[in-house]
Amino acid sequence: MAPQRSVRLSLKKPTYAVCVVGVETSVDVHSAVPKGAETFGVSGSPGVEVFVVYDPARVTGPTGKSRWPLDVSVEVTVSVDAASKDLNDLKVKVSYFGQHQDGALGHSVLYLTGVDISLDVDTHRTGKVKRSHGDKKTWRWGPEGYGAVLLVNCDRDSITSRGPDLTNSQLASLDDLQDMSPMVLSCDGPDRLFDNHKLVLNVPFSDSKRVGVFCSRGGHSLEHYKQVLGPQRLSYEVERQQGEQKISFFVEGLTFPDTDFLGLVSLSVSLVDTGTLPEVPLFTDTVAFRMAPWIMTPNTQPPLELYACSVVDSHGPNKKFLEDMLDLALKTNCKLIVCPQIENRNDRWIQDEMEFGYTEAPHKSFPVVFDSPRNRGLKHFPYKRILGPDFGYVTREILFAGASSLDSFGNLDVSPPVTVGGKEYPLGRILIGSSFPKSGGRRMAKVVRDFLQAQQVQAPVELYSDWLSVGHVDEFLSFVPTSDQKGFRLLLASPSACLRLFQEKEEEGYGDAAQFDGLSYQANRSINEMLADRRLRSDSLYVQKCIDWNREVLKRELGLTERDIIDIPQLFSLKGSYAEAFFPDMVNMVVLGKHLGIPKPFGPIINGRCCLEEKVRALLEPLGLHCTFIDDYLSYHELLGEIHCGTNVRRQPFSFKWWHMVP
């Protein structure tokens, strides 16, 4: 809102001014006063409200005749309640009087033209634009908050477009308008007023590369829509037609929040008097938007699509694995999408390549794939095959350096919603693996960490994963949904739990039962041999210390207790100074609702059953979960990955609206 304008009156001739509906205009009753005048009276024609503002400590209000002392503390303001039908059809009259005279010493006349100018957006976050008289240029978080939301227009609605829609200054599809936030300019007033006044839409220079504005003039077919504001256009003189009272605009976001962008942008409209030199803005209305963040979805959200890759190795194709994935997907009514070898170039690690999330505004939501900077065989798959209508794409590239293993998105996870010391995280918290604090080891690239932090709604937690050869958090943790009040459990790989289990089986007389029994391509190791292997025990106990360090961080940062954590038996061995799973890593599972696709551990067979599988079933099935153990040994485990690494899941967005939280 522009500062209150002041209009100076004249005793010699009428004064003319434009008054915006709902905006008070100050009338200067002190500058042009007849000689001997000590009081004044003021009146307005119908449609004009006149206010006299004074300090009661200095001035006594009039009684009887409405005459006010010409004291500097007495001020007059006027406002209009509707747009004028004609120029100068509203009138304010000021009469000046002497101390003992009934007749006026002089009169000043002010003719007003009312004009209704308002820039409105979905301030109340209902999905529709409504006229707002409140604060439109401030954005507030929370259930009682206000302020409009912009979607980053990062999908591709037209098959003829080469990139995301945000790269186009021309509208490629009318469907693209649905991805934009509506904005309405009210501009009611006499047409003749706009002969010497204009409306100018503006975007600050700092926001111009973050936002684009489209408007249709002359029709509503594709060719009528033009970008009127954006990176190359900081202002736009509105083309108002005769009699036009409302003009619709469509606003798109061009970039997600990041380290150099807090997510807030503003647009404004000004009514400018072109009859003066220099031209004078009479009124400005400003609206604020916040860019909708990219949001991850945890394992507790229902699955929609399961992705996996078709690959061929020296031992043959992974056909059986894909069949197992299809069976699992069918159990949860989840669609399986297989990336063919010609597109993945035998890169099977589809979890490492990308992470599915979504973005949401009150009027629309759509999924967005975050493409990791690893750039291996699957490099082009997210951009070429997933980016499309109502499916967005975002990436962050590492400049001047190559990606490390920790930049892959097996090293990126998110917890279910948690409350920590009274602080609510209704969308969970992002988890990323890193080096031990102050150790100088491998870390996820700063450009990715900065992006995740800047989204604000899923405050990231750094864990210690650099002790692993691959270095990903999904090698030692996972979350599974439960139907109790907590809603989930954290699963942690546990060498100590595995050693205890094997010790129990040895004491029960099953010491000769062998790990990898039945695998022709892997030497058997009996329980007795494994327990006697000091190197294996030492390696696993070292790994347990690393996991225990993360356990305490997770308890502290996610507000967990020991009751919320389940230890999954797992052994590790060191190769040099880094750890690798000794047998298929069971926490590296795919979670599809209540159905878990778990790497088959090929544990010791006791009474016809794998004791590792039986232990995991005993831990998880009482929670209502269904465990399916899947052979991933040759195609994944031997290459230092498992099922989670080789699959990816797009999940249902949260029902909770991110703008209702307070970061």
Side-chain angles (χ1 to χ4, degrees), residues 238-256:
V238 178
E239 302 170 20
R240 180 187 180 276
Q241 306 300 315
Q242 283 200 353
E244 194 168 26
Q245 297 180 4
K246 292 184 183 297
I247 301 174
S248 294
F249 296 89
F250 300 87
V251 189
E252 65 175 347
L254 303 182
T255 181
F256 283 98

Side-chain angles (χ1 to χ4, degrees), residues 265-337:
V265 295
S266 65
L267 299 171
S268 62
V269 68
S270 294
L271 176 66
V272 179
D273 184 352
T274 60
T276 61
L277 289 176
E279 296 180 347
V280 177
L282 304 180
F283 168 78
T284 298
D285 204 13
T286 301
V287 294
F289 296 89
R290 182 175 289 279
M291 214 68 71
W294 179 77
I295 303 171
M296 288 181 66
T297 51
N299 285 351
T300 48
Q301 291 299 110
L304 299 174
E305 295 172 338
L306 172 64
Y307 288 73
C309 292
S310 174
V311 295
V312 178
D313 296 305
S314 58
H315 54 77
N318 65 338
K319 180 180 178 181
K320 178 62 169 62
F321 177 82
L322 295 177
E323 291 172 352
D324 291 338
M325 289 298 105
L326 178 59
D327 289 344
L328 194 67
L330 289 173
K331 293 176 181 178
T332 57
N333 198 30
C334 177
K335 181 181 180 181
L336 175 66
I337 297 174

